[in-house]
mmCIF file of all heavy atoms in Angstrom:
data_model
loop_
_atom_site.group_PDB
_atom_site.id
_atom_site.type_symbol
_atom_site.label_atom_id
_atom_site.label_comp_id
_atom_site.label_asym_id
_atom_site.label_seq_id
_atom_site.Cartn_x
_atom_site.Cartn_y
_atom_site.Cartn_z
ATOM 1 N N THR K 47 99.071 -32.056 195.425
ATOM 2 C CA THR K 47 99.264 -32.255 193.979
ATOM 3 C C THR K 47 98.204 -31.501 193.195
ATOM 4 O O THR K 47 98.485 -30.838 192.181
ATOM 5 C CB THR K 47 99.211 -33.751 193.655
ATOM 6 O OG1 THR K 47 100.243 -34.442 194.398
ATOM 7 C CG2 THR K 47 99.430 -33.987 192.183
ATOM 8 N N GLY K 48 96.954 -31.616 193.670
ATOM 9 C CA GLY K 48 95.872 -30.887 192.999
ATOM 10 C C GLY K 48 96.082 -29.372 193.059
ATOM 11 O O GLY K 48 95.871 -28.644 192.064
ATOM 12 N N LEU K 49 96.517 -28.936 194.259
ATOM 13 C CA LEU K 49 96.784 -27.499 194.391
ATOM 14 C C LEU K 49 97.934 -27.058 193.491
ATOM 15 O O LEU K 49 97.884 -25.970 192.893
ATOM 16 C CB LEU K 49 97.089 -27.146 195.848
ATOM 17 C CG LEU K 49 95.901 -27.220 196.829
ATOM 18 C CD1 LEU K 49 96.365 -27.010 198.268
ATOM 19 C CD2 LEU K 49 94.851 -26.187 196.445
ATOM 20 N N ARG K 50 98.965 -27.905 193.402
ATOM 21 C CA ARG K 50 100.082 -27.567 192.521
ATOM 22 C C ARG K 50 99.640 -27.493 191.067
ATOM 23 O O ARG K 50 100.030 -26.588 190.332
ATOM 24 C CB ARG K 50 101.194 -28.601 192.685
ATOM 25 C CG ARG K 50 101.977 -28.440 194.004
ATOM 26 C CD ARG K 50 103.014 -29.522 194.140
ATOM 27 N NE ARG K 50 103.799 -29.338 195.362
ATOM 28 C CZ ARG K 50 104.711 -30.199 195.786
ATOM 29 N NH1 ARG K 50 104.934 -31.318 195.071
ATOM 30 N NH2 ARG K 50 105.387 -29.973 196.903
ATOM 31 N N GLU K 51 98.818 -28.490 190.685
ATOM 32 C CA GLU K 51 98.309 -28.445 189.318
ATOM 33 C C GLU K 51 97.447 -27.206 189.090
ATOM 34 O O GLU K 51 97.540 -26.544 188.044
ATOM 35 C CB GLU K 51 97.501 -29.721 189.038
ATOM 36 C CG GLU K 51 98.349 -30.984 188.977
ATOM 37 C CD GLU K 51 97.499 -32.217 188.763
ATOM 38 O OE1 GLU K 51 96.239 -32.052 188.788
ATOM 39 O OE2 GLU K 51 98.067 -33.306 188.589
ATOM 40 N N GLU K 52 96.605 -26.885 190.097
ATOM 41 C CA GLU K 52 95.758 -25.703 189.988
ATOM 42 C C GLU K 52 96.600 -24.432 189.934
ATOM 43 O O GLU K 52 96.338 -23.521 189.127
ATOM 44 C CB GLU K 52 94.795 -25.654 191.177
ATOM 45 C CG GLU K 52 93.758 -24.532 191.060
ATOM 46 C CD GLU K 52 92.763 -24.581 192.221
ATOM 47 O OE1 GLU K 52 92.822 -25.525 193.025
ATOM 48 O OE2 GLU K 52 91.912 -23.661 192.291
ATOM 49 N N ILE K 53 97.628 -24.395 190.787
ATOM 50 C CA ILE K 53 98.524 -23.233 190.789
ATOM 51 C C ILE K 53 99.249 -23.115 189.465
ATOM 52 O O ILE K 53 99.411 -22.013 188.917
ATOM 53 C CB ILE K 53 99.519 -23.331 191.964
ATOM 54 C CG1 ILE K 53 98.776 -23.123 193.290
ATOM 55 C CG2 ILE K 53 100.631 -22.299 191.812
ATOM 56 C CD1 ILE K 53 99.637 -23.381 194.509
ATOM 57 N N SER K 54 99.664 -24.272 188.943
ATOM 58 C CA SER K 54 100.334 -24.267 187.643
ATOM 59 C C SER K 54 99.405 -23.740 186.550
ATOM 60 O O SER K 54 99.796 -22.921 185.701
ATOM 61 C CB SER K 54 100.804 -25.675 187.296
ATOM 62 O OG SER K 54 101.419 -25.688 186.027
ATOM 63 N N GLY K 55 98.144 -24.204 186.605
ATOM 64 C CA GLY K 55 97.162 -23.702 185.628
ATOM 65 C C GLY K 55 96.906 -22.211 185.805
ATOM 66 O O GLY K 55 96.797 -21.449 184.824
ATOM 67 N N LEU K 56 96.799 -21.824 187.102
ATOM 68 C CA LEU K 56 96.599 -20.406 187.366
ATOM 69 C C LEU K 56 97.784 -19.573 186.890
ATOM 70 O O LEU K 56 97.619 -18.470 186.339
ATOM 71 C CB LEU K 56 96.349 -20.175 188.856
ATOM 72 C CG LEU K 56 95.017 -20.694 189.407
ATOM 73 C CD1 LEU K 56 94.958 -20.516 190.921
ATOM 74 C CD2 LEU K 56 93.847 -19.959 188.745
ATOM 75 N N LYS K 57 99.001 -20.134 187.114
ATOM 76 C CA LYS K 57 100.197 -19.425 186.645
ATOM 77 C C LYS K 57 100.189 -19.283 185.129
ATOM 78 O O LYS K 57 100.510 -18.229 184.585
ATOM 79 C CB LYS K 57 101.461 -20.153 187.099
ATOM 80 C CG LYS K 57 101.791 -19.970 188.561
ATOM 81 C CD LYS K 57 103.088 -20.676 188.905
ATOM 82 C CE LYS K 57 103.474 -20.454 190.368
ATOM 83 N NZ LYS K 57 104.745 -21.143 190.698
ATOM 84 N N GLU K 58 99.802 -20.373 184.467
ATOM 85 C CA GLU K 58 99.749 -20.324 183.007
ATOM 86 C C GLU K 58 98.696 -19.322 182.541
ATOM 87 O O GLU K 58 98.944 -18.520 181.625
ATOM 88 C CB GLU K 58 99.450 -21.730 182.475
ATOM 89 C CG GLU K 58 99.465 -21.793 180.953
ATOM 90 C CD GLU K 58 99.221 -23.209 180.461
ATOM 91 O OE1 GLU K 58 99.071 -24.105 181.306
ATOM 92 O OE2 GLU K 58 99.172 -23.401 179.238
ATOM 93 N N GLU K 59 97.510 -19.372 183.193
ATOM 94 C CA GLU K 59 96.459 -18.432 182.829
ATOM 95 C C GLU K 59 96.873 -16.999 183.150
ATOM 96 O O GLU K 59 96.614 -16.064 182.367
ATOM 97 C CB GLU K 59 95.178 -18.795 183.581
ATOM 98 C CG GLU K 59 93.979 -17.945 183.182
ATOM 99 C CD GLU K 59 92.712 -18.395 183.891
ATOM 100 O OE1 GLU K 59 92.775 -19.400 184.641
ATOM 101 O OE2 GLU K 59 91.666 -17.745 183.700
ATOM 102 N N LEU K 60 97.531 -16.852 184.327
ATOM 103 C CA LEU K 60 98.023 -15.528 184.705
ATOM 104 C C LEU K 60 99.052 -15.026 183.708
ATOM 105 O O LEU K 60 99.054 -13.832 183.353
ATOM 106 C CB LEU K 60 98.620 -15.585 186.111
ATOM 107 C CG LEU K 60 99.176 -14.264 186.660
ATOM 108 C CD1 LEU K 60 98.056 -13.229 186.756
ATOM 109 C CD2 LEU K 60 99.825 -14.474 188.026
ATOM 110 N N SER K 61 99.900 -15.935 183.248
ATOM 111 C CA SER K 61 100.900 -15.542 182.254
ATOM 112 C C SER K 61 100.220 -15.092 180.956
ATOM 113 O O SER K 61 100.602 -14.079 180.350
ATOM 114 C CB SER K 61 101.848 -16.697 181.983
ATOM 115 O OG SER K 61 102.785 -16.359 180.991
ATOM 116 N N LYS K 62 99.191 -15.895 180.554
ATOM 117 C CA LYS K 62 98.459 -15.502 179.344
ATOM 118 C C LYS K 62 97.793 -14.140 179.526
ATOM 119 O O LYS K 62 97.850 -13.274 178.644
ATOM 120 C CB LYS K 62 97.426 -16.571 179.006
ATOM 121 C CG LYS K 62 98.014 -17.888 178.541
ATOM 122 C CD LYS K 62 96.918 -18.891 178.246
ATOM 123 C CE LYS K 62 97.487 -20.229 177.796
ATOM 124 N NZ LYS K 62 96.420 -21.231 177.518
ATOM 125 N N LEU K 63 97.108 -13.982 180.726
ATOM 126 C CA LEU K 63 96.451 -12.710 180.990
ATOM 127 C C LEU K 63 97.464 -11.575 181.054
ATOM 128 O O LEU K 63 97.203 -10.458 180.569
ATOM 129 C CB LEU K 63 95.664 -12.786 182.295
ATOM 130 C CG LEU K 63 94.402 -13.649 182.282
ATOM 131 C CD1 LEU K 63 93.790 -13.723 183.683
ATOM 132 C CD2 LEU K 63 93.381 -13.094 181.291
ATOM 133 N N SER K 64 98.614 -11.867 181.659
ATOM 134 C CA SER K 64 99.645 -10.846 181.755
ATOM 135 C C SER K 64 100.138 -10.442 180.369
ATOM 136 O O SER K 64 100.298 -9.244 180.082
ATOM 137 C CB SER K 64 100.804 -11.356 182.608
ATOM 138 O OG SER K 64 101.842 -10.411 182.673
ATOM 139 N N ASN K 65 100.374 -11.464 179.517
ATOM 140 C CA ASN K 65 100.799 -11.152 178.148
ATOM 141 C C ASN K 65 99.724 -10.366 177.404
ATOM 142 O O ASN K 65 100.023 -9.412 176.675
ATOM 143 C CB ASN K 65 101.124 -12.440 177.392
ATOM 144 C CG ASN K 65 102.344 -13.158 177.958
ATOM 145 O OD1 ASN K 65 103.243 -12.513 178.505
ATOM 146 N ND2 ASN K 65 102.373 -14.479 177.831
ATOM 147 N N LYS K 66 98.471 -10.782 177.632
ATOM 148 C CA LYS K 66 97.365 -10.086 176.985
ATOM 149 C C LYS K 66 97.272 -8.647 177.473
ATOM 150 O O LYS K 66 97.110 -7.693 176.684
ATOM 151 C CB LYS K 66 96.065 -10.836 177.260
ATOM 152 C CG LYS K 66 94.858 -10.239 176.563
ATOM 153 C CD LYS K 66 93.620 -11.074 176.845
ATOM 154 C CE LYS K 66 92.389 -10.473 176.139
ATOM 155 N NZ LYS K 66 91.168 -11.274 176.413
ATOM 156 N N HIS K 67 97.364 -8.479 178.804
ATOM 157 C CA HIS K 67 97.306 -7.144 179.375
ATOM 158 C C HIS K 67 98.495 -6.296 178.938
ATOM 159 O O HIS K 67 98.348 -5.081 178.669
ATOM 160 C CB HIS K 67 97.243 -7.208 180.899
ATOM 161 C CG HIS K 67 95.936 -7.724 181.425
ATOM 162 N ND1 HIS K 67 94.717 -7.420 180.848
ATOM 163 C CD2 HIS K 67 95.640 -8.528 182.490
ATOM 164 C CE1 HIS K 67 93.732 -7.995 181.508
ATOM 165 N NE2 HIS K 67 94.275 -8.695 182.533
ATOM 166 N N GLN K 68 99.646 -6.924 178.859
ATOM 167 C CA GLN K 68 100.817 -6.185 178.384
ATOM 168 C C GLN K 68 100.624 -5.730 176.942
ATOM 169 O O GLN K 68 100.971 -4.594 176.581
ATOM 170 C CB GLN K 68 102.075 -7.050 178.513
ATOM 171 C CG GLN K 68 102.569 -7.200 179.952
ATOM 172 C CD GLN K 68 103.827 -8.045 180.035
ATOM 173 O OE1 GLN K 68 104.288 -8.581 179.016
ATOM 174 N NE2 GLN K 68 104.370 -8.180 181.231
ATOM 175 N N ALA K 69 100.070 -6.638 176.121
ATOM 176 C CA ALA K 69 99.799 -6.258 174.733
ATOM 177 C C ALA K 69 98.773 -5.125 174.688
ATOM 178 O O ALA K 69 98.911 -4.160 173.912
ATOM 179 C CB ALA K 69 99.303 -7.465 173.947
ATOM 180 N N THR K 70 97.730 -5.254 175.549
ATOM 181 C CA THR K 70 96.722 -4.195 175.605
ATOM 182 C C THR K 70 97.332 -2.878 176.073
ATOM 183 O O THR K 70 97.066 -1.813 175.496
ATOM 184 C CB THR K 70 95.584 -4.611 176.540
ATOM 185 O OG1 THR K 70 95.016 -5.852 176.089
ATOM 186 C CG2 THR K 70 94.503 -3.543 176.580
ATOM 187 N N LEU K 71 98.161 -2.968 177.128
ATOM 188 C CA LEU K 71 98.828 -1.764 177.617
ATOM 189 C C LEU K 71 99.749 -1.176 176.564
ATOM 190 O O LEU K 71 99.836 0.054 176.417
ATOM 191 C CB LEU K 71 99.624 -2.089 178.888
ATOM 192 C CG LEU K 71 98.799 -2.379 180.155
ATOM 193 C CD1 LEU K 71 99.711 -2.800 181.303
ATOM 194 C CD2 LEU K 71 97.981 -1.148 180.550
ATOM 195 N N PHE K 72 100.423 -2.056 175.807
ATOM 196 C CA PHE K 72 101.309 -1.568 174.754
ATOM 197 C C PHE K 72 100.504 -0.832 173.679
ATOM 198 O O PHE K 72 100.900 0.256 173.224
ATOM 199 C CB PHE K 72 102.075 -2.755 174.156
ATOM 200 C CG PHE K 72 103.032 -2.354 173.091
ATOM 201 C CD1 PHE K 72 104.240 -1.740 173.405
ATOM 202 C CD2 PHE K 72 102.735 -2.581 171.750
ATOM 203 C CE1 PHE K 72 105.130 -1.359 172.414
ATOM 204 C CE2 PHE K 72 103.619 -2.209 170.760
ATOM 205 C CZ PHE K 72 104.824 -1.599 171.093
ATOM 206 N N ARG K 73 99.356 -1.443 173.298
ATOM 207 C CA ARG K 73 98.509 -0.778 172.312
ATOM 208 C C ARG K 73 97.963 0.540 172.856
ATOM 209 O O ARG K 73 97.905 1.558 172.139
ATOM 210 C CB ARG K 73 97.365 -1.701 171.898
ATOM 211 C CG ARG K 73 97.787 -2.852 171.006
ATOM 212 C CD ARG K 73 96.585 -3.508 170.361
ATOM 213 N NE ARG K 73 95.615 -3.984 171.324
ATOM 214 C CZ ARG K 73 95.651 -5.198 171.884
ATOM 215 N NH1 ARG K 73 96.617 -6.062 171.557
ATOM 216 N NH2 ARG K 73 94.723 -5.563 172.742
ATOM 217 N N LEU K 74 97.540 0.495 174.146
ATOM 218 C CA LEU K 74 97.037 1.734 174.750
ATOM 219 C C LEU K 74 98.122 2.800 174.814
ATOM 220 O O LEU K 74 97.848 3.993 174.579
ATOM 221 C CB LEU K 74 96.504 1.446 176.160
ATOM 222 C CG LEU K 74 95.197 0.644 176.246
ATOM 223 C CD1 LEU K 74 94.854 0.340 177.704
ATOM 224 C CD2 LEU K 74 94.048 1.413 175.586
#
Side-chain angles (χ1 to χ4, degrees):
T47 301
L49 290 173
R50 286 177 178 175
E51 291 177 354
E52 187 176 354
I53 290 172
S54 178
L56 291 175
K57 285 182 178 180
E58 184 178 359
E59 185 177 357
L60 180 62
S61 178
K62 291 179 181 179
L63 289 175
S64 178
N65 294 331
K66 183 178 180 180
H67 289 322
Q68 286 181 356
T70 303
L71 289 175
F72 181 75
R73 287 194 303 272
L74 289 175

